[in-house]
Amino acid sequence: MSYHDSTTADCEHKTCSGIKTIIRPKAKDIGGFEVRRALPSIEARTVGPFIFFDQMGPATFAPGTGIDVRPHPHIGLSTLTWLIEGEIMHRDSLGYTQPIRPGEVNWMTAGSGIVHSERTPDDVRAAGHSLLGLQVWMALPSDFQEADPSFQHYVADDIPTVELEGAKVMIVAGDAWGASSQVSVHSRTLYADVRLDTGATLNVPPEHEERAIYVVSGSVQLGDEVFGEATMVVLQEGETVPVQAPNGAHLALIGGDKLKRARKLWWNFAHTDVAMIEAAKERWTSGGFDMVEGDEEFIPLPTR
């Protein structure tokens, strides 16, 4: 799967207040399941610690069908899954089996290496269901890339909410507007789920070095430019950026400290040292990773 499947809409107008670049990822169907990948892209490889940003769905599954992401490995990063609709069962090589539902967070730190699978739970599969969510990867600090793997689950009550005028902001990870999430991030992070009422304006403060908004549904206006769903707008650094929602909107707001060292990203592996990625390839091919107990399938190493 290409990491560059997006198009550019560079802003050439002074009316495009606070905009650095725009990413409009194309939808990809992966066996009846739609994914939109905003990061990495040609326009922006990273935003703060975020090196990967996928929108999963929206998808509707008939009874007896669902998603089956077979066991696969990761190194050098953390994954965060945030659902808006539906349910996914996470299983990993540390022995964790954990369903995730809307408003909850699954936070998995791969470090030196972990294997996990993501499937539709049996009872949900039998009934038929809808699925919509976001999955992101965050690069680990360069001196923490070989840390022991770990997994944490956070229930909805663990996620703080900030009420602003015309806006409900859930602090999924990191900090914003004076509130901090319990999710154990490893660097300065901004990740918020934002619901804007009709006619509301969200003033995004400049307290995080890099920031971007992703329109999950509805539309937003920055200056004279209007952006609809499945659009990522990377914001100018150091500016308070007003984001208007003339008809209401649901957004993800991401960012944090800029990466001090560039990351090499190949398949599910991220590292500052390409030799570590090559070693992970060989390790997966030779069966050197611990596997997911009770899930005998796996995704083979891609050939290119």
Side-chain angles (χ1 to χ4, degrees):
M1 184 180 295
S2 172
Y3 286 125
H4 302 286
D5 195 9
S6 58
T7 58
T8 309
D10 289 331
C11 182
E12 298 177 351
H13 314 290
K14 292 182 180 179
T15 54
C16 294
S17 175
I19 298 172
K20 183 175 182 180
T21 193
I22 301 160
I23 304 166
R24 292 190 174 96
K26 294 179 181 178
K28 297 181 77 70
D29 189 301
I30 52 174
F33 181 59
E34 189 174 83
V35 171
R36 291 182 174 95
R37 180 158 301 162
L39 293 176
S41 72
I42 295 171
E43 296 77 28
R45 299 290 294 170
T46 61
V47 176
F50 292 80
I51 57 174
F52 179 98
F53 186 107
D54 260 7
Q55 176 183 326
M56 306 177 290
T60 300
F61 294 93
T65 64
I67 68 165
D68 287 291
V69 181
R70 295 168 292 161
H72 58 281
H74 290 281
I75 67 163
L77 53 83
S78 294
T79 70
L80 190 153
T81 304
W82 176 258
L83 293 185
I84 299 160
E85 296 178 28
E87 183 174 339
I88 295 174
M89 183 67 73
H90 161 97
R91 293 184 176 88
D92 65 40
S93 53
L94 298 177
Y96 289 97
T97 298
Q98 177 63 57
I100 180 172
R101 303 177 181 93
E104 303 176 344
V105 168
N106 273 1
W107 175 247
M108 185 183 76
T109 294
S112 60
I114 198 168
V115 177
H116 75 135
S117 65
E118 296 161 300
R119 299 182 186 269
T120 301
D122 291 342
D123 57 337
V124 176
R125 186 187 300 264
H129 65 291
S130 298
L131 184 67
L132 174 62
L134 303 174
Q135 188 168 79
V136 302
W137 299 353
M138 298 186 210
L140 292 173
S142 56
D143 59 354
F144 198 69
Q145 294 175 105
E146 301 304 312
D148 291 338
S150 63
F151 175 82
Q152 290 89 35
H153 176 77
Y154 299 86
V155 300
D157 287 346
D158 292 334
I159 309 302
T161 298
V162 176
E163 298 285 351
L164 303 173
E165 184 176 355
K168 178 182 178 181
V169 181
M170 300 178 70
I171 312 302
V172 178
D175 64 276
W177 286 280
S180 297
S181 171
Q182 296 184 40
V183 175
S184 56
V185 295
H186 306 290
S187 60
R188 184 82 189 282
T189 298
L190 167 65
Y191 187 5
D193 181 286
V194 181
R195 310 281 181 138
L196 292 175
D197 296 340
T198 298
T201 297
L202 179 74
N203 290 310
V204 181
E207 57 190 17
H208 293 86
E209 188 176 10
E210 295 187 327
R211 301 157 298 161
I213 59 170
Y214 181 84
V215 185
V216 178
S217 63
S219 61
V220 296
Q221 184 171 338
L222 283 78
D224 291 340
E225 297 292 311
V226 176
F227 304 99
E229 63 182 35
T231 304
M232 179 172 281
V233 182
V234 182
L235 306 180
Q236 290 284 2
E237 297 171 17
E239 297 182 14
T240 296
V241 180
V243 178
Q244 299 174 304
N247 300 301
H250 181 191
L251 313 175
L253 173 62
I254 66 169
D257 286 349
K258 188 174 184 177
L259 291 176
K260 293 180 174 61
R261 297 176 63 188
R263 292 305 188 275
K264 308 294 184 182
L265 186 60
W266 190 91
W267 192 36
N268 304 312
F269 306 140
H271 211 283
T272 53
D273 185 353
V274 70
M276 298 303 295
I277 293 177
E278 293 301 318
K281 292 182 187 180
E282 173 58 28
R283 185 176 161 199
W284 182 243
T285 302
S286 64
F289 279 86
D290 292 336
M291 297 302 289
V292 179
E293 186 175 350
D295 195 335
E296 303 306 320
E297 295 186 294
F298 66 92
I299 300 177
L301 189 77
T303 55
R304 59 183 178 90

